[in-house]
Amino acid sequence: MNRQATKKRERERTPNNRTTTGFRISDELWAVLHQLLPVHVNTNRFGGGRPRASDRDCADAIFYVLRTGCQWQALDQTELCAHSTAHDRFQEWVQAGVFLKLWQAGIEQFEELCGIDWDWLSMDGAMTKAPLGGGKNRPQSDRPRQERGETQPAHRGARRPYRPHH
């Protein structure tokens, strides 16, 4: 068995940034989100396996990525959660519709607290003709006619086949 000697680090590891690891979702948001999460079923036939990362830690990591726009692999430099675990849980929750349900719960809660003026919101969807869009019977453009898959001829003169001089 050939063991490679581990190389000692030449520089000290950069300490974790407290602004990244200090971000956690609020207890109020967690109370709503926790009710929407699918129940995890252990598929190990003996009931064992590696301990599952907590949903709260994964939620912190997922919302950190969504909030900052960082890459998933950047999570490995934080103390939030491993990027692969957070991404897998994110995919699982998307499939279960968790984020859609969370959005709907937020809309319902806002409606109860403040009320939503739906008339004002519907004004955004006006269907009018574009002012410079042109008519249906406008003249066709002067561009060269080209069928799909056809290439345009090069405008460098006529191509002649190669003829060797004798």
Side-chain angles (χ1 to χ4, degrees), residues 67-99:
R67 178 177 165 239
T68 63
C70 74
Q71 296 178 351
W72 287 102
Q73 290 193 351
L75 286 174
D76 291 340
Q77 299 302 314
T78 69
E79 296 171 355
L80 294 171
C81 183
H83 81 275
S84 58
T85 304
H87 188 262
D88 289 347
R89 200 73 54 92
F90 174 73
Q91 295 294 331
E92 178 184 327
W93 292 352
V94 166
Q95 290 292 325
V98 170
F99 297 105

Side-chain angles (χ1 to χ4, degrees), residues 38-111:
V39 176
H40 172 69
V41 178
N42 189 349
T43 57
N44 189 303
R45 65 182 177 166
F46 298 116
R50 186 174 185 174
R52 181 176 164 92
S54 75
D55 287 336
R56 178 79 186 248
D57 290 343
C58 289
D60 288 338
I62 289 168
F63 280 98
Y64 177 75
V65 169
L66 295 176
R67 178 177 165 239
T68 63
C70 74
Q71 296 178 351
W72 287 102
Q73 290 193 351
L75 286 174
D76 291 340
Q77 299 302 314
T78 69
E79 296 171 355
L80 294 171
C81 183
H83 81 275
S84 58
T85 304
H87 188 262
D88 289 347
R89 200 73 54 92
F90 174 73
Q91 295 294 331
E92 178 184 327
W93 292 352
V94 166
Q95 290 292 325
V98 170
F99 297 105
L100 177 62
K101 293 174 191 171
L102 181 64
W103 177 75
Q104 290 170 339
I107 294 292
E108 290 171 6
Q109 187 175 12
F110 186 83
E111 172 68 29

Side-chain angles (χ1 to χ4, degrees), residues 26-37:
S26 68
D27 292 335
E28 293 82 14
L29 177 59
W30 175 246
V32 174
L33 180 63
H34 182 65
Q35 295 173 1
L36 304 174
L37 297 179

